[in-house]
Amino acid sequence: MLQIKSLKVFHGPIEAVHGIDISVREGQCVTLLGPNGAGKTSTLSAITGTVRATGSIRLQDEDIGRLPIEERCKRGIAISPEGRRVFATLSVRDNLIMGGATRRDKASLTDEIEEWFSQFPVLGERREQPAGTLSGGEQQMLAIVRALLSKPRILLLDEPSLGLAPQITARIFRIIKELKAAGTTILLVEQNAGAALEVSDYVYVLNNGLVSRHGDVAEFGDGAVLINELTGVQQ
Ligand code: ATP
């Protein structure tokens, strides 16, 4: 589904990612693990097109690496960004309508939003409420559903557990598991190695802008401990 080769990412003069290869197959959940500053968000930003990058980024058969952000979105890239970034003053419903903004089939959007409201009643009950008044966990659910409403081929999730209580993190990871079971292809960025390994098929460990290790999740054994040792990733 997604194939990244020799990716370098730049923030002005700073090279944050130094030439990495990453692949995500259809229906897989692939996780990028690593400590602060490893280059995880930079990698996702390169995929969405919000930073300068070199190398190739192929979505199915097309190199999307030179396309503008909205074209990547139309081709099936969607992100739930770090820190959720919901539109705080817009209602929950309007946030979701924004999620479908690039879709051609707008007619079915209203029905789909209603379906998501029945799946996540906590959002349905707050549909007219400004999104900024939701709890962190509710905002995370909203950010994920907003991304899904663009009907992506691949969903990028940037640290969905960030700042959430353990119980809420568990709920968010249950949602990720359900999405995967429903066939959604996911590229997940996390620092919470234990939770991430439970939903992942394949793992890349990033350190200082390079992949230091990658493999099937089974190869990581009791990965939480191992990754802790390798990278200092927090549990
Ligand atoms: P975190 O979990 O803390 O978000 P990360 O693995 O996602 O870490 P990045 O945010 O991709 O790491 O950062 C990688 C490197 O790029 C870091 O050294 C960081 O300081 C640098 N960097 C990130 N964004 C910018 C920016 N806008 N301007 C300058 N440097 C940046």
Side-chain angles (χ1 to χ4, degrees), residues 11 14 16 35-42 82 159 191:
H11 299 289
I14 298 165
N36 284 325
K40 307 180 299 296
T41 297
S42 300
E82 187 174 0
E159 296 209 30
Q191 290 201 37

Side-chain angles (χ1 to χ4, degrees), residues 21 24 75 182 202 226:
D21 298 347
V24 185
R75 279 162 177 76
Y202 201 89
L226 179 58

Side-chain angles (χ1 to χ4, degrees), residues 162-174:
L162 190 73
L164 300 182
Q167 252 185 329
I168 312 297
T169 296
R171 167 85 175 109
I172 296 297
F173 273 90
R174 274 202 300 279

